[in-house]
Amino acid sequence: MPKQTVAEQYVDLLARAGVSRMYGVVGDSLNPVVDAVRRHDALEWVQVRHEEVAAFAAGAEAQLTGRLAACAGSCGPGNLHLINGLFDAHRSMAPVLALAAQIPSGEIGTGYFQETHPDRLFEECSHYSELISSPRQMPRVVQTAIQHAVGRRGVSVVALPGDIAAEDSPVGGAELAIPLDRPAVRPADQELTRLTELVDAAETVTVFCGRGVAGAHAEVMAFAEKIKAPVGHALRGKEHIQYDNPYDVGMSGLLGYGAAYEAMHECDLLLLLGTDFPYTDFLPRNVRTVQIDVQPERLGRRTQLDFAVWGDVRETLRCLIPAVQEKPSRRFLDRMLNRHVHALEGAVGAYTRDVDKHTPIHPEYVAAVLDEEAADDAVFTVDTGMCCVWAARYLTPNGRRRILGSFVHGSMANALPQAIGAQFLDRTRQVVSLSGDGGFSMLMGDFLTLVQYGLPVKVVVFNNSSLGMVDLEMMVDGLPPYGTGYPHTDFAAIATAAGARGIRVEKPTEVRDALRAAFAHDGPALVDVVTDPNALAIPPKITSEQLTGFALSASRTVLTGGVGRMIQLARANIRNVPRP
C-alpha cells in the first residue's frame, strides 16, 4: 500500500465510514486536508461562507440519515465558528465528526497567532475531543472519534495541526471497526413485570411522545388502542407520531395546542416515551409517572418518576403490548378527544377570518398554504422563534415528511444552513426553509451557497421586520418590546441580485401562486412574505403572572393560536369514536 499523509489517511477514513462530503471554509492550517479531499474520488468539499453553516449543514445531514457527517474549520477563529452548529448537532444526537485545524504543532502553548485550544473548547459539545500531536496517533484517534460519534450519537472533534497533517502517516493499521446499526435495548424482565403492573393498575393512562418514538409508530398505536390512551407529543415527536393517529390530543409545551396538557394532568398514569421534554411547568406533579428512554441519563431529570425504564421505545412496547390487560372503557380517551376538538375549534378562526383581506398577511395563513402546496415527502427546516410556532401548528406530518429545527439548542439562523445539508443529501427532494427575517439575515451570506451549487432550496421568509418571539417574551414579562425591530428589507430583491429567483408577496391573494412559482422553479428560490408583526402565539396554559404581564404591555396585539388542518384531523378522529 503506498504511503499516505496524515491528511490523506484522515480523508480516507471518513470515506470508509460512509461520509460523502465535508462542509467548511478553507484556510492555511486546513489546506492539506482540503487538498486530500480534492484528490479523493468518494468525498466532496462543500465551500460555505461561514463555518457555523458548515456545522449546521452536517448536523442536518446526519439527522436525516442517521449516518456520520463531517465538517471542518481552520485554526483559531475558523474552527471557533463551528461551535454553535456543533452544539446543536450534539444536543440533537446527530453523529458529526468535526475537524478543527490547529496552528503549527511546535507553536502550541506560546500564544502564537490565532492560537486556541480546540481540544478543550469543544469538550462541552462533544462526546470526544482530542488533539493529534503526532502521526503515530493515526488512525486510532480518528477511529475512536468516529466510534464515539456513531455509537453515542453526537459530535466528535479532532484537532489537527497543519504541519502534522502534511506528514506521512504510519503504514498499516488503518482498518475501521465502526458500529453501523444501534442495538435494540430491551428492559430486564423484572422491569417489564413492574411496568405491566403499573399500567394494569391505572384506570386511565396518557402517553406522551418525543423524538425517541421514531420508528415505533405502529407499536405506539397498538399500545394506545389496547389501553385506550390519548396520545400527546412534544415538538420533536410531532413528525413521528401525529400522522395516522386516531388517539392524537395535540402538543404540550410553549408551542402547544389541543388537549395534551389536560390529558397529561387528568390521568392516573402518565407514560413518557422517548422524550426529554424540558418544560417542567407543563408536566404534572401529582400524577404517577413512568419514563421509558434508551438514554439512561435522561430518566427522571425533568420530573419525579414513580418508575424509570431503560430501553428503546419500540422494543419496550413490543414486550409490553402482549403483557398488559386490555382496558374496556374508552370514556377517558373519548373525553380527551372531544376536548381536543373543542380546543382547536376555539383557535382555528384566528387564521381563517378575513385572511384574503388582511394586510400585512397573517403568518398562520402562509404556513397553512405552504402545508397544502409542499410535496408529500418535503423536508422542512424551521428557524427558532415564531417560525417554530407556525411549523408546530400548521405543518402536517404523514410519515414521509421531515421537520428539522434547532429544537433543543434553540439557536437562531438554523433553517437555511440545515436546508443546505438536507438538499446536498438529495437534490431531487423538495427542501423548504421556513426562515424568520431575523434568522435569515443573521447567516444570509450562505444564500450564495445555494446559488453557487445550484441547490433548489426554497426559502420562505416570514418578514415581519421584528424578532417576534422576543416581543412575546418581553410582553409576558410585562416589558414593552425594545431592540427587536428591523428596518424594512426587500429580501426578494437581494435574492434576485444574487442570481436566484426572488418573489415578493405583500397581499394574501398572492401567497399560493408565489409558492407554486417557487416550487416550480428549477433552482434556488426565495419567497419574501410581508407578515403581520402583531401576530403572536401564546401557549394553551400560562400562569396568571404571565397573563398579567402580557396585559400590561399588549394593547393591540393579535393573540393567535390557529392550528390549520389539525382541526380536520381531530374532527375525523371524533367521527370515528364508537357510539353506544
Side-chain angles (χ1 to χ4, degrees):
M1 182 176 179
K3 277 192 173 183
Q4 291 180 308
T5 66
V6 169
E8 289 169 339
Q9 191 173 78
Y10 180 85
V11 171
D12 191 49
L13 289 168
L14 287 188
R16 294 190 196 186
V19 175
S20 299
R21 60 196 61 83
M22 185 185 297
Y23 302 90
V25 178
V26 298
D28 55 356
S29 56
L30 193 56
N31 289 346
V33 175
V34 175
D35 188 63
V37 173
R38 177 184 66 82
R39 291 181 282 106
H40 200 287
D41 293 337
L43 219 62
E44 176 186 11
W45 176 260
V46 177
Q47 177 187 358
V48 296
R49 268 61 179 180
H50 194 296
E51 289 91 349
E52 181 177 349
V53 172
F56 269 122
E61 184 178 320
Q63 287 184 70
L64 288 171
T65 65
R67 301 193 302 268
L68 187 70
C71 59
S74 59
C75 64
N79 62 60
L80 280 179
H81 285 159
L82 293 170
I83 197 164
N84 193 49
L86 291 183
F87 257 102
D88 184 81
H90 192 57
R91 301 187 73 184
S92 300
M93 297 181 65
V96 172
L97 178 58
L99 178 64
Q102 178 60 299
I103 63 171
S105 58
E107 302 293 346
I108 297 175
T110 68
Y112 191 72
F113 175 66
Q114 293 188 325
E115 181 175 2
T116 60
H117 296 88
D119 50 314
R120 304 177 202 168
L121 287 166
F122 292 101
E123 282 186 351
E124 190 176 347
C125 64
S126 67
H127 290 305
Y128 182 85
S129 183
E130 191 55 72
L131 170 69
I132 294 180
S133 56
S134 165
R136 293 190 298 274
Q137 292 174 267
M138 285 289 287
R140 287 185 298 163
V141 165
V142 176
Q143 175 171 323
T144 303
I146 293 173
Q147 289 171 327
H148 274 75
V150 174
R152 297 183 64 184
R153 295 289 168 178
V155 170
S156 285
V157 179
V158 172
L160 179 62
D163 60 315
I164 301 295
E167 293 187 22
D168 289 340
S169 64
V171 177
E175 294 301 321
L176 282 174
I178 299 175
L180 298 178
D181 297 309
R182 290 178 66 81
V185 179
R186 176 190 180 278
D189 288 343
Q190 60 268 29
E191 288 189 333
L192 287 169
T193 299
R194 175 60 177 152
L195 180 56
T196 301
E197 291 172 350
L198 286 169
V199 174
D200 287 346
E203 184 176 346
T204 58
V205 182
T206 292
V207 174
F208 186 71
C209 301
R211 179 177 176 269
V213 300
H217 185 277
E219 287 77 11
V220 175
M221 295 301 103
F223 181 66
E225 169 60 29
K226 190 167 187 179
I227 65 169
K228 310 301 184 289
V231 178
H233 59 267
L235 177 56
R236 292 210 300 164
K238 173 184 172 75
E239 64 176 329
H240 304 297
I241 207 66
Q242 188 188 24
Y243 69 95
D244 295 338
N245 181 359
Y247 318 102
D248 178 49
V249 290
M251 187 170 80
S252 188
L254 294 172
L255 311 184
Y257 56 83
Y261 182 93
E262 287 83 357
M264 295 168 69
H265 283 73
E266 297 180 22
C267 61
D268 296 328
L269 178 67
L270 173 63
L271 293 182
L272 302 175
L273 303 184
T275 179
D276 193 33
F277 185 71
Y279 304 110
T280 57
D281 288 345
F282 291 88
L283 293 172
R285 292 180 172 83
N286 299 310
V287 172
R288 302 196 80 179
T289 302
V290 173
Q291 184 177 0
I292 301 171
D293 206 295
V294 74
Q295 303 290 125
E297 70 274 11
R298 295 181 174 181
L299 295 170
R301 72 177 181 182
R302 305 300 184 190
T303 189
Q304 183 70 37
L305 298 180
D306 292 274
F307 192 53
V309 179
W310 183 7
D312 65 62
V313 172
R314 183 169 64 178
E315 288 303 312
T316 302
L317 291 183
R318 283 178 174 176
C319 297
L320 188 61
I321 290 169
V324 297
Q325 298 175 6
E326 183 168 1
K327 296 194 182 299
S329 174
R330 286 181 55 109
R331 185 176 305 168
F332 177 68
L333 170 61
D334 293 345
R335 179 159 60 87
M336 290 301 145
L337 290 175
N338 276 287
R339 190 175 296 181
H340 182 54
V341 169
H342 294 153
L344 299 188
E345 285 177 334
V348 73
Y351 87 98
T352 58
R353 191 182 303 114
D354 298 326
V355 293
D356 58 335
K357 302 173 184 176
H358 189 279
T359 305
I361 303 166
H362 279 309
E364 308 96 318
Y365 176 66
V366 179
V369 175
L370 174 61
D371 181 55
E372 295 170 0
E373 295 295 334
D376 288 342
D377 65 344
V379 177
F380 299 96
T381 61
V382 182
D383 261 344
T384 298
M386 298 309 296
C387 284
C388 266
V389 179
W390 314 139
R393 297 182 177 181
Y394 291 91
L395 296 184
T396 307
N398 57 13
R400 298 171 61 199
R401 287 177 165 180
R402 296 300 308 274
I403 304 173
L404 301 183
S406 187
F407 297 140
V408 180
H409 187 49
S411 173
M412 282 182 66
N414 61 284
L416 173 63
Q418 288 178 327
I420 290 172
Q423 195 71 85
F424 262 112
L425 189 62
D426 186 352
R427 286 176 174 267
T428 65
R429 190 173 185 180
Q430 187 182 87
V431 177
V432 186
S433 170
L434 279 70
S435 299
D437 54 332
F440 179 73
S441 59
M442 182 177 282
L443 290 173
M444 185 168 56
D446 267 279
F447 187 80
L448 299 175
T449 301
L450 302 183
V451 177
Q452 176 180 345
Y453 289 97
L455 297 175
V457 171
K458 314 307 177 188
V459 180
V460 181
V461 179
F462 288 72
N463 188 355
N464 63 0
S465 299
S466 72
L467 295 173
M469 184 63 80
V470 183
D471 278 347
L472 178 59
E473 291 166 352
M474 287 184 164
M475 286 189 282
V476 165
D477 287 337
L479 304 172
Y482 179 76
T484 59
Y486 290 121
H488 191 63
T489 304
D490 188 337
F491 291 106
I494 294 174
T496 300
R501 175 75 186 275
I503 306 172
R504 177 80 165 178
V505 180
E506 298 181 350
K507 299 177 181 178
T509 53
E510 301 169 348
V511 170
R512 193 176 299 274
D513 287 343
L515 291 174
R516 288 178 176 176
F519 291 149
H521 179 64
D522 185 19
L526 183 146
V527 181
D528 180 15
V529 188
V530 180
T531 59
D532 188 353
N534 291 321
L536 303 174
I538 58 175
K541 295 293 180 181
I542 62 174
T543 65
S544 58
E545 292 82 3
Q546 289 173 325
L547 187 59
T548 301
F550 194 91
L552 288 174
S553 60
S555 57
R556 61 185 185 88
T557 301
V558 181
L559 299 182
T560 58
V563 287
R565 284 197 286 167
M566 279 177 281
I567 183 63
Q568 300 173 25
L569 299 176
R571 287 172 178 160
N573 288 343
I574 285 295
R575 285 195 296 270
N576 293 327
V577 169
R579 302 301 179 190

